[in-house]
Amino acid sequence: MSRRVLILGAPDALGDAVAQDIAARLAARPGPFLLGCPGGRSPRPVYAALARLAGARAMDLGRLVIVMMDDYLTPDFEHVPIEAHYSCRRFARDEIVSILNAGLGPSNRIPDSNVWFPDPADPAAYDGRILAAGGIDLFLLASGAGDGHVAFNPPGSGRDSRTRIVPLADQTRRDNLATFPDFSGIEQVPTHGVTVGIATIAQARASAMLVWGADKRNAFRHLASATVYDPDWPATVWASCPDATLYADRTAAGDTP
């Protein structure tokens, strides 16, 4: 089992390092390559860097499968409308796939069929679909600043938890006010989501935890010391994967003001 903590100068440097790692893993593995993806602020430098790399190298991303972690749900436990500013389906379309495909020819682009989401009508089927496809090759992860949630898994989530519908913890909803700044108040943040589980993440071949910015200093302290899963800070699951790397910038690590 490999566990590394890498501190880089800035979010762009973090994004470049992770993008290089993704490109190397993709080139080394034939067939579909499953990339577990969060929405929100933390992975944006990675998606931007991978897009630059893919365009410069004319990479074939047709084998890349975007396995999204979660999505907000309506009170009827359905996906929120895709055009909602906080929709993770919108994020995947506009801020992952469109960005990655922008510099590529049609034959090298990620097809729409390679963007996966858990179905709130049958959440457990997501784990089966992932396993049937060979498992997640690399899971990009982010930690909630206030409570350490990962995807929508709140503190107290079991190590054996799988894809399911969960009520969103109050602190998670407050954290998401920063993730999606068009929310005018916590009352607008949905109360439930569908999410991969802790076991879903831990079964990935590799994990890349992304932590940058001053608001993630507390998260960095929890994550950098993790060697096993701590249910009080669910993002510590990053250390449970066989090949685990924590990427942080100096600000999150406390090395700069």
Side-chain angles (χ1 to χ4, degrees), residues 6 8 12-22 49 247:
L6 299 180
L8 298 137
D12 286 349
L14 180 156
D16 288 339
V18 179
Q20 291 282 352
D21 185 53
I22 294 170
Y247 294 87

Side-chain angles (χ1 to χ4, degrees), residues 24-180:
R25 292 175 187 272
L26 180 61
R29 183 170 178 80
F33 185 95
L34 273 61
L35 181 66
C37 291
R41 296 168 293 162
S42 295
R44 283 185 173 125
V46 175
Y47 301 143
L50 184 58
R52 291 192 297 270
L53 194 62
R57 296 183 181 179
M59 290 170 58
D60 180 4
L61 298 187
R63 297 186 293 112
L64 187 63
V65 180
I66 303 298
V67 182
M68 294 298 292
M69 301 182 77
D70 51 29
D71 196 15
Y72 290 105
L73 299 180
T74 69
D76 295 326
F77 293 162
E78 296 177 347
H79 287 288
V80 297
I82 192 170
E83 298 303 334
H85 69 89
Y86 52 91
S87 166
C88 295
R89 292 186 296 156
R90 181 208 59 77
F91 189 97
R93 182 192 67 191
D94 296 350
E95 301 197 48
I96 303 178
V97 176
S98 290
I99 288 173
L100 294 180
N101 282 345
L104 300 175
S107 63
N108 286 354
R109 294 174 184 164
I110 303 167
D112 291 344
S113 59
N114 280 16
V115 183
W116 296 2
F117 275 91
D119 181 357
D122 187 9
Y126 205 45
D127 290 275
R129 185 181 189 185
I130 291 167
L131 290 175
I136 292 174
D137 292 283
L138 175 66
F139 224 133
L140 303 179
L141 302 171
S143 172
D147 62 359
H149 67 270
V150 61
F152 283 145
N153 291 281
S157 293
R159 173 62 176 75
D160 60 350
S161 59
R162 298 285 182 177
T163 306
R164 65 209 187 281
I165 292 173
V166 295
L168 303 185
D170 285 347
Q171 184 59 56
T172 300
R173 295 172 71 218
R174 291 189 185 94
D175 285 349
N176 285 333
L177 290 174
T179 302
F180 298 100

